[in-house]
Amino acid sequence: AQSVAQPEDQVNVAEGNPLTVKCTYSVSGNPYLFWYVQYPNRGLQFLLKYITGDNLVKGSYGFEAEFNKSQTSFHLKKPSALVSDSALYFCAVRDIVGTDKLIFGTGTRLQVFP
Amino acid sequence: SAVISQKPSRDICQRGTSLTIQCQVDSQVTMMFWYRQQPGQSLTLIATANQGSEATYESGFVIDKFPISRPNLTFSTLTVSNMSPEDSSIYLCSAGGDTYNEQFFGPGTRLTVL
């Protein structure tokens, strides 16, 4: 069965420092991976995806993610964090065996301190 | 990308009543999804709604409790029936997302059952 794991409930980082939000996956077949962000009282916003090709994927708001097949990871990164990046981040994998639904991780709350 | 709206944005309901949540997409989409989310927690898929066919429910969710309509390619409704306080949650709809593409999410409906 497809699954993703987000090992950290919360990540704290100072503004201007690089940030990493971790995600590992378990799939049968090719992984189709996604990152979403949720700001307070809002729906989820798509950040980026990995389908195939370059292992470094660039997305919205200066975020990028590195796909690592050997470590089965898809960590979200940003070189310089902003206070406005503080939000809830979800990693997700496509269930290509079933109904094409997304399977979400438990979420990681990112707190960026001024 | 698709823009998705939901109505109502929030509601407070009495135990034993039903609420119908509407989801409107600004373009035609094949697949629509309904999720439930406790504040600050991950998303749980309720069902997948494809136009012209019965909705597919996930384990733990049944049609009698969460009937879904999908009358055309831009619209869907989810009804939460015979509500109890345990149904208090945020309900999100999403659309799109074939194997290689992302899903887009509505802003959510915050439901409180007294």
Side-chain angles (χ1 to χ4, degrees):
Chain A
Q2 323 283 77
S3 67
V4 289
Q6 294 182 244
E8 301 158 317
D9 290 336
Q10 180 153 332
V11 170
N12 299 317
V13 65
E15 187 174 33
N17 283 0
L19 69 87
T20 298
V21 182
K22 296 180 180 178
C23 173
T24 59
Y25 65 88
S26 174
V27 302
S28 52
N30 293 324
Y32 301 123
L33 298 160
F34 302 80
W35 274 102
Y36 286 84
V37 60
Q38 186 176 35
Y39 298 100
N41 301 311
R42 303 279 296 275
L44 274 69
Q45 296 180 32
F46 169 72
L47 280 178
L48 50 79
K49 65 183 176 184
Y50 174 81
I51 303 300
T52 187
D54 289 342
N55 290 340
L56 186 63
V57 179
K58 294 188 181 297
S60 305
Y61 311 123
F63 284 93
E64 58 190 27
E66 185 171 8
F67 173 71
N68 188 315
K69 188 172 183 178
S70 63
Q71 297 185 5
T72 62
S73 66
F74 189 54
H75 299 334
L76 182 70
K77 300 181 179 185
K78 188 174 183 181
S80 179
L82 299 172
V83 173
S84 57
D85 293 328
S86 299
L88 190 55
Y89 290 80
F90 291 100
C91 180
V93 65
R94 175 81 70 197
D95 181 15
I96 61 173
V97 178
T99 60
D100 264 351
K101 64 187 180 186
L102 285 178
I103 298 168
F104 285 87
T106 50
T108 298
R109 184 166 300 283
L110 173 67
Q111 191 72 48
V112 182
F113 295 94
Chain B
S1 66
V3 178
I4 301 174
S5 59
Q6 284 184 237
K7 288 194 294 188
S9 58
R10 59 177 61 223
D11 208 342
I12 300 173
C13 300
Q14 295 298 318
R15 182 195 299 260
T17 63
S18 298
L19 176 72
T20 295
I21 302 169
Q22 299 179 9
C23 180
Q24 179 75 52
V25 189
D26 69 343
S27 57
Q28 293 186 342
V29 293
T30 303
M31 304 173 76
M32 294 183 74
F33 304 85
W34 287 97
Y35 293 85
R36 187 167 71 181
Q37 182 187 29
Q38 295 293 333
Q41 313 240 336
S42 189
L43 284 73
T44 301
L45 181 65
I46 298 171
T48 302
N50 291 338
Q51 195 268 337
S53 63
E54 295 284 330
T56 303
Y57 289 84
E58 296 297 303
S59 176
F61 297 96
V62 295
I63 188 171
D64 289 346
K65 176 67 175 177
F66 297 100
I68 288 171
S69 77
R70 181 77 201 274
N72 56 51
L73 291 173
T74 63
F75 187 77
S76 179
T77 67
L78 169 76
T79 299
V80 186
S81 303
N82 189 25
M83 289 183 286
S84 67
E86 292 71 36
D87 295 318
S88 298
S89 191
I90 300 167
Y91 292 84
L92 294 152
C93 76
S94 72
D98 60 19
T99 300
Y100 307 115
N101 293 302
E102 56 274 24
Q103 289 180 18
F104 296 96
F105 284 79
T109 296
R110 184 180 290 263
L111 171 62
T112 301
V113 184
L114 302 177

